[in-house]
Structure formats: C-alpha cells, structure tokens
Amino acid sequence: NAGVTQTPKFRILKIGQSMTLQCTQDMNHNYMYWYRQDPGMGLKLIYYSVGAGITDKGEVPNGYNVSRSTTEDFPLRLELAAPSQTSVYFCASSYGRTNEKLFFGSGTQLSVL
Amino acid sequence: AQKVTQAQTEISVVEKEDVTLDCVYETRDTTYYLFWYKQPPSGELVFLIRRNSFDEQNEISGRYSWNFQKSTSSFNFTITASQVVDSAVYFCALSEAGDDKIIFGKGTRLHILP
C-alpha cells in the first residue's frame, strides 16, 4: 500500500507566488490533516477534514486554503507565499475520529525566498 | 483548549543509559487520548503508542515504557538501555473525544551518544 503520498518533496517559491501541495491516501480514511513543522516549534495544525466536502481550521490557518472533494485527496493551497510559510508540511490521515493513530506522508520541504 | 507541553527541548545521553521524556497535558474533557510519535533523522513520523484516559495502566514494549498519571496530567516515555538508533525527535500529542483535532507538543530532540 502507498499509504499517504505527498507531492512535491521539495519546492522553492518566490514571495507572492502560489502553489498547491498535493496529498492523497489510499486507505479510505475519513479524517485528513495538514500540519506544518517549524524548527523547535513542533507540529502545528493548519486545516483538517472529517470527510469529503467538510473542512475546518486548525491552529494556524491564515495564508492557506484547503478543499476535500474526494475521500482520497486533500490539497493545501498557498495563495500568496510569504517567507513565514517556509516550513516542512506534513499531511496525515486516520480512519476514524481522533482516537485513531495518524498515518503521515513523507513531508514537503517548502522555502519561500 | 487542549495543550501539550514537552519542557525538554533537547536531551543527550550516552548509549545504554536510561532516559525519560516528559509530557504534560491540559484538557477539560474527561475522555481523551494521548499519543507518542517518533521522528528519526530521515524525517518521517512514526506512531509509537496511544493511550485513552480511562486506561492508566503503564505499558511496556521492549525497551520502551510509558507512564500515564492522571493525577499529574503526565504521560512520560522511558527508553531503557538506549541505543544510537533511538536518536530522534519525539512528539507527545493529545486529542479530546469531543473534538476532531490532534494537538502536538513541541517535541524533544534526543541524542544518544556512542
């Protein structure tokens, strides 16, 4: 099984550019999450989704947008990239509610210069 | 709102020593779940354990053990006879039954020195 797949693995953006981080899972999981990891700051929740068509804000949603048109896909969009969005982004999924363990993708290293 | 505190930013121990990673949590819910994840230098995040709030039994898995104490709101992780392969960042996380979010602590970076 592929599990949770994130693309791209690395990306460099210029300030003001936009891009979409792709995340797809093949485990038929209902719950999907986007986290960002900054050095020394742990994992911060950006957005999450409890099923297709349903999304909600996490701890640090500003500057990002998400959509969940299918169970498998949960893309994260950066509209106007800023240096503060330089981070490692992780997508994760779980089958049920938050008592279930998370399956993580391998991460996307994003630099905004 | 829920909160997870991992006060130890970085720990270094010599191989074969025992080491304990602290995790203190805050929640107003009576039903909640605690987790530990490991992030080795390769960067992926690996699930280690889940514990629900009604199960205070300590858990042991090989050299790893977890001590859950509701009285002190702590869920500490001990590695016995540490090995170099244990070097990683370890995250404690919390979710509440009435919420859909899983909140992580800032992590503890563990260095096992040969």
Side-chain angles (χ1 to χ4, degrees):
Chain A
N1 281 345
V4 179
T5 303
Q6 287 183 239
T7 56
K9 292 192 183 302
F10 305 94
R11 184 73 185 268
I12 298 174
L13 284 181
K14 294 182 179 179
I15 295 172
Q17 286 185 321
S18 62
M19 77 162 294
T20 299
L21 280 65
Q22 301 292 345
C23 176
T24 188
Q25 52 89 10
D26 63 357
M27 298 173 282
N28 201 33
H29 284 174
N30 293 315
Y31 284 63
M32 295 188 75
Y33 306 83
W34 275 106
Y35 289 90
R36 60 176 287 173
Q37 182 179 18
D38 301 319
M41 296 302 293
L43 292 159
K44 292 290 188 182
L45 181 63
I46 305 172
Y47 270 96
Y48 65 100
S49 169
V50 302
I54 306 169
T55 62
D56 211 341
K57 296 178 180 178
E59 303 168 274
V60 289
N62 291 344
Y64 307 94
N65 278 302
V66 293
S67 60
R68 185 92 183 272
S69 56
T70 67
T71 299
E72 295 77 21
D73 300 308
F74 190 40
L76 178 71
R77 178 115 181 124
L78 284 70
E79 291 293 350
L80 291 169
S84 61
Q85 293 178 305
T86 293
S87 189
V88 180
Y89 291 84
F90 287 97
C91 180
S93 72
S94 66
Y95 179 71
R97 295 205 71 185
T98 53
N99 57 323
E100 299 286 335
K101 70 176 185 180
L102 293 175
F103 292 80
F104 282 89
S106 57
T108 296
Q109 174 93 51
L110 176 67
S111 295
V112 182
L113 306 174
Chain B
Q2 69 257 53
K3 183 179 179 182
V4 176
T5 301
Q6 294 180 258
Q8 303 152 308
T9 304
E10 202 159 346
I11 300 174
S12 294
V13 300
V14 177
E15 195 173 20
K16 297 183 183 177
E17 288 184 354
D18 299 347
V19 58
T20 296
L21 309 182
D22 298 332
C23 173
V24 174
Y25 62 91
E26 295 177 28
T27 177
R28 284 175 286 192
D29 213 330
T30 56
T31 304
Y32 52 90
Y33 306 91
L34 296 161
F35 304 81
W36 277 94
Y37 287 83
K38 175 182 180 180
Q39 186 179 41
S42 55
E44 76 273 22
L45 283 142
V46 179
F47 167 82
L48 294 178
I49 191 172
R50 179 192 68 191
R51 175 65 75 220
N52 74 59
S53 54
F54 297 108
D55 183 3
E56 283 195 77
Q57 269 194 322
N58 291 334
E59 174 127 356
I60 299 174
S61 176
R63 296 183 296 105
Y64 294 174
S65 62
W66 290 268
N67 182 271
F68 176 30
Q69 291 197 328
K70 289 176 77 170
S71 60
T72 56
S73 297
S74 65
F75 187 44
N76 296 337
F77 172 30
T78 297
I79 301 175
T80 303
S82 60
Q83 299 177 1
V84 172
V85 294
D86 296 326
S87 296
V89 181
Y90 291 87
F91 292 99
C92 182
L94 166 70
S95 68
E96 297 172 337
D99 201 349
D100 293 313
K101 299 190 291 293
I102 302 175
I103 302 301
F104 284 75
K106 293 184 178 182
T108 296
R109 183 176 296 276
L110 178 63
H111 300 278
I112 307 299
L113 308 172

